[in-house]
Amino acid sequence: PHVRTVLLRGATEQGYAFYTNYDSQKGNDLAQNPYAELLFYWQEQERQIRISGRVEKISKAESTDYYHKRPRDSQIAAHISTPQSGVIESRELLQQRFQELQNRVEGKVLDKPEFWGGYVLIPDYYEFWQGRPNRLHDRLSYIKQDQSWVIQRLMP
């Protein structure tokens, strides 16, 4: 497994949404193993929440809708930064590709690339952690079983 930071773009009763290049390392990882975790950490409050679950692609319509709400430069960047995490000769070449596409599509609607879209993590596990000075931290887990959640206190 690989770890990375993603931008949370939605939280609903269904789950937690983020968007990316489907051909990226994370897209390839999720195609091979559609399970992931989210971690939210607040150092000043000594709190964190872990959320685990299955990850599924969201609909093309939802991805397209979100894509068109993004800043224009972000739309252009999604088109030119493929293959994502691939090697590029220089920063100048990347900027040149950006400028060329920007000039070519000026005044036009830019379609969402087929290789770009959203995922939703559908939670089946939550863990809430509250740090304590004596290291007797509070940890509570919520595990989805059938249609309900089982709550357990965990050892620190």
Side-chain angles (χ1 to χ4, degrees):
H2 297 93
V3 66
R4 76 265 297 150
T5 299
V6 296
L7 299 175
L8 181 66
R9 293 300 187 195
T12 66
E13 286 186 26
Q14 182 190 10
Y16 302 90
F18 61 95
Y19 295 82
T20 191
N21 183 319
Y22 290 143
D23 296 333
S24 66
Q25 180 68 55
K26 67 182 146 297
N28 291 327
D29 286 350
L30 290 169
Q32 292 176 22
N33 177 8
Y35 293 89
E37 288 194 334
L38 304 174
L39 177 70
F40 299 94
Y41 178 61
W42 297 272
Q43 182 176 356
E44 295 79 19
Q45 297 175 344
E46 287 193 79
R47 290 184 181 172
Q48 76 177 25
I49 301 171
R50 279 182 46 219
I51 306 169
S52 303
R54 181 172 178 77
V55 178
E56 298 177 358
K57 285 183 178 178
I58 65 170
S59 72
K60 184 176 180 178
E62 286 178 277
S63 291
T64 300
D65 183 55
Y66 178 76
Y67 176 81
H68 288 293
K69 291 177 182 174
R70 300 175 80 209
R72 181 70 168 186
D73 286 353
S74 297
Q75 294 177 19
I76 293 168
H79 276 271
I80 64 146
S81 53
T82 189
Q84 189 176 15
S85 302
V87 175
I88 189 161
E89 295 173 26
S90 66
R91 176 82 186 168
E92 291 75 22
L93 181 56
L94 182 64
Q95 290 174 315
Q96 177 186 343
R97 287 182 182 177
F98 183 91
Q99 190 63 53
E100 287 171 358
L101 182 57
Q102 189 176 43
N103 292 342
R104 211 167 51 239
V105 299
E106 188 174 347
K108 299 176 185 172
V109 173
L110 190 56
D111 291 334
K112 179 190 79 60
E114 288 299 315
F115 56 79
W116 188 94
Y119 290 97
V120 61
L121 183 141
I122 302 164
D124 58 20
Y125 179 86
Y126 287 88
E127 183 181 312
F128 296 88
W129 175 87
Q130 173 65 62
R132 301 281 184 225
N134 58 7
R135 300 214 28 92
L136 293 178
H137 310 309
D138 282 325
R139 291 176 61 203
L140 297 173
S141 69
Y142 290 67
I143 304 166
K144 190 163 194 176
Q145 292 183 352
D146 299 318
Q147 298 300 318
S148 62
W149 292 88
V150 174
I151 303 170
Q152 298 175 328
R153 179 171 289 280
L154 305 174
M155 293 291 285

